[in-house]
């Protein structure tokens, strides 16, 4: 029955309706930021792998964050760039489902990991004497494994449900990648149950990790305020502020898109918010979380001096 009723073999990704010129400008912007994000994230992963000084829980979390970011941007951006440049902006049905799966599972793992990282910083800053006793290598591995498992298992059932829906009618997706809501709009059967599952999934994950992240940052700010020297306070604040900007952007845009039961704002607004998630935060994260960090800068200098940077020898 299901196989008979699905006669859509590909979707058309409408992208950003605009003239050729607009598309060329967007192509250039997105291409450049994608390359920068890739390079930034690769540098971080390479540094954490190669440098002994960075073999600690915080940097393992950061390297995993970079890896997840590379994964989900790569699921979305290259295809979007190709479509900017081609007449037929199509994507095969199965690639579309795969894109949904990778985007949402890597994204979910990333939110889980952001909460873990804020908890790690909370321990290190507010509870420094007990930090090494609590955040052991074992706990670190466990938390990382949990974040990967959460993302890749929780997203599987709804993705399978979506892949089995009947699609018979129009196949144009008003988006630049296969986001789940525009796809559900095209299904020719009742999708309220799947929408409900997705809503509960995203709400639990996003609001849960947002809660943990906010509590951690609020405690951190409380501790920072008690630092006696003005200079130390200022430095701690500038780090905190940049983290908060990224976290706010990421949570803000994702909650805006995915945590709304009625789905009543327009898909065009969702598209703009998705740009924040897929283009802007992956670009900012490496610079804000690590490349400004003193220890990371030293490791970078060290590696470039030894000239073994092309990974091979480390
Ligand atoms: C993610 O964390 C695990 C466990 O700490 C580590 O072995 C792995 O290398 C990390 N992944 C990346 C890409 O660094």
């Amino acid at each position: 029955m299901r196989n008979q009723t699905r006669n859509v073999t590909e979707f058309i990704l409408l992208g950003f309706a605009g003239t050729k010129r607009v598309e060329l400008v967007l192509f250039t912007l997105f291409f450049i930021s994608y390359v920068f994000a890739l390079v930034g994230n690769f540098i971080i992963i390479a540094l954490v792998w190669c440098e002994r000084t960075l073999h600690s829980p915080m940097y393992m979390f950061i390297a995993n964050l970079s890896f997840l970011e590379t994964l989900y941007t790569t699921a979305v951006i290259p295809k979007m760039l190709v479509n900017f440049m081609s007449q037929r902006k199509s994507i095969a049905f199965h690639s579309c489902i795969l894109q949904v799966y990778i985007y949402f599972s890597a994204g979910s793992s990333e939110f889980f990991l952001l909460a873990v990282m804020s908890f790690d910083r909370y321990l290190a800053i507010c509870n420094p004497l007990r930090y090494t006793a609590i955040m052991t290598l074992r706990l670190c591995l466990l938390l990382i494994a949990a974040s990967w498992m959460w993302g890749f298992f929780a997203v599987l059932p709804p993705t399978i449900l979506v892949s089995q829906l009947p699609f018979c009618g129009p196949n144009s997706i008003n988006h630049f990648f296969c986001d789940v809501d525009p796809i559900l709009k095209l299904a020719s059967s009742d999708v309220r149950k799947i929408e409900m599952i997705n809503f509960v999934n995203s709400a639990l994950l996003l609001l849960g990790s947002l809660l943990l992240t906010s509590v951690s940052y609020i405690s951190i700010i409380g501790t920072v305020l008690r630092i006696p020297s003005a200079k130390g306070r200022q430095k701690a604040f500038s780090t905190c502020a940049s983290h908060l900007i990224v976290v706010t952007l990421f949570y803000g845009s994702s909650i805006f898109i995915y945590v709304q039961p009625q789905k009543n704002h327009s898909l065009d607004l969702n598209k703009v918010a998705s740009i924040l998630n897929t283009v802007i935060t992956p670009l900012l994260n490496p610079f804000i979380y690590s490349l400004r960090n003193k220890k990371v800068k030293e490791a970078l200098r060290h590696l470039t001096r030894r000239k073994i940077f092309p990974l091979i020898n480390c």
Side-chain angles (χ1 to χ4, degrees):
M1 182 74 184
R2 271 173 187 145
N3 283 342
Q4 282 163 1
T5 51
R6 179 164 73 74
N7 56 17
V8 164
T9 55
E10 62 174 26
F11 290 111
I12 306 296
L13 290 170
L14 294 180
F16 304 89
T19 58
K20 270 267 151 290
R21 192 171 206 163
V22 173
E23 282 194 325
L24 195 64
V25 171
L26 289 177
F27 174 88
T28 313
L29 281 178
F30 290 171
F31 179 75
I32 293 173
S33 54
Y34 178 61
V35 169
F36 269 96
L38 271 191
V39 170
N41 283 316
F42 271 128
I43 289 178
I44 288 168
I45 294 172
L47 281 178
V48 173
W49 281 0
C50 299
E51 283 296 296
R52 290 193 157 275
T53 51
L54 302 184
H55 287 175
S56 66
M58 177 172 122
Y59 292 102
M60 281 191 191
F61 294 140
I62 286 180
N64 273 269
L65 190 77
S66 289
F67 189 78
L68 285 169
E69 237 156 41
T70 308
L71 195 62
Y72 85 71
T73 48
T74 303
V76 169
I77 308 284
K79 183 66 187 166
M80 170 175 84
L81 292 176
V82 169
N83 277 355
F84 269 136
M85 290 291 118
S86 50
Q87 287 298 329
R88 266 184 70 69
K89 303 177 184 307
S90 63
I91 181 168
F93 182 81
H94 291 105
S95 313
C96 192
I97 298 296
L98 189 65
Q99 203 175 49
V100 168
Y101 182 61
I102 295 178
Y103 180 75
F104 282 96
S105 38
S108 307
S109 298
E110 183 162 334
F111 279 108
F112 194 101
L113 202 57
L114 282 176
V116 166
M117 286 167 69
S118 71
F119 173 68
D120 173 71
R121 286 304 84 202
Y122 158 77
L123 280 181
I125 294 172
C126 307
N127 229 330
L129 296 180
R130 284 197 292 165
Y131 177 72
T132 44
I134 299 175
M135 189 51 77
T136 54
L137 191 60
R138 215 185 113 126
L139 182 62
C140 166
L141 290 180
L142 204 73
L143 288 170
I144 289 176
S147 78
W148 281 88
M149 305 257 252
W150 174 291
F152 285 82
F153 284 127
V155 174
L156 198 53
T159 312
I160 292 176
L161 288 179
V162 172
S163 74
Q164 296 187 332
L165 286 172
F167 291 93
C168 326
N171 67 341
S172 299
I173 295 179
N174 181 16
H175 212 303
F176 56 88
F177 73 103
C178 289
D179 197 357
V180 73
D181 294 323
I183 296 179
L184 288 180
K185 274 203 159 64
L186 299 177
S188 359
S189 72
D190 187 5
V191 295
R192 270 173 303 181
K193 219 183 257 162
I194 300 183
E195 276 184 342
M196 203 58 213
I197 296 176
N198 287 342
F199 169 71
V200 172
N201 248 352
S202 346
L204 269 182
L205 174 74
L206 286 171
L207 302 180
S209 77
L210 177 64
L211 184 69
L212 187 58
T213 307
S214 335
V215 170
S216 306
Y217 275 116
I218 290 170
S219 319
I220 290 172
I221 290 172
T223 306
V224 167
L225 283 177
R226 290 196 295 268
I227 293 178
S229 88
K231 206 169 156 217
R233 251 196 326 261
Q234 204 182 7
K235 211 174 133 225
F237 259 126
S238 85
T239 312
C240 255
S242 53
H243 284 201
L244 280 180
I245 291 171
V246 172
V247 168
T248 311
L249 277 181
F250 203 36
Y251 277 102
S253 53
S254 302
I255 290 175
F256 176 82
I257 304 173
Y258 300 110
V259 187
Q260 34 153 342
Q262 316 260 276
K263 309 286 175 199
N264 45 13
H265 43 65
S266 84
L267 288 173
D268 287 323
L269 276 179
N270 282 3
K271 256 192 268 183
V272 175
S274 296
I275 294 178
L276 281 179
N277 275 350
T278 54
V279 181
I280 312 289
T281 45
L283 177 63
L284 292 180
N285 270 356
F287 297 96
I288 286 188
Y289 276 103
S290 345
L291 297 176
R292 287 169 18 134
N293 175 310
K294 202 166 139 218
K295 220 164 149 188
V296 171
K297 279 189 198 149
E298 264 163 26
L300 193 58
R301 263 198 296 275
H302 186 214
L303 262 197
T304 39
R305 217 171 19 238
R306 280 194 300 167
K307 296 207 175 65
I308 57 159
F309 200 44
L311 274 182
I312 318 143
N313 291 326
C314 63

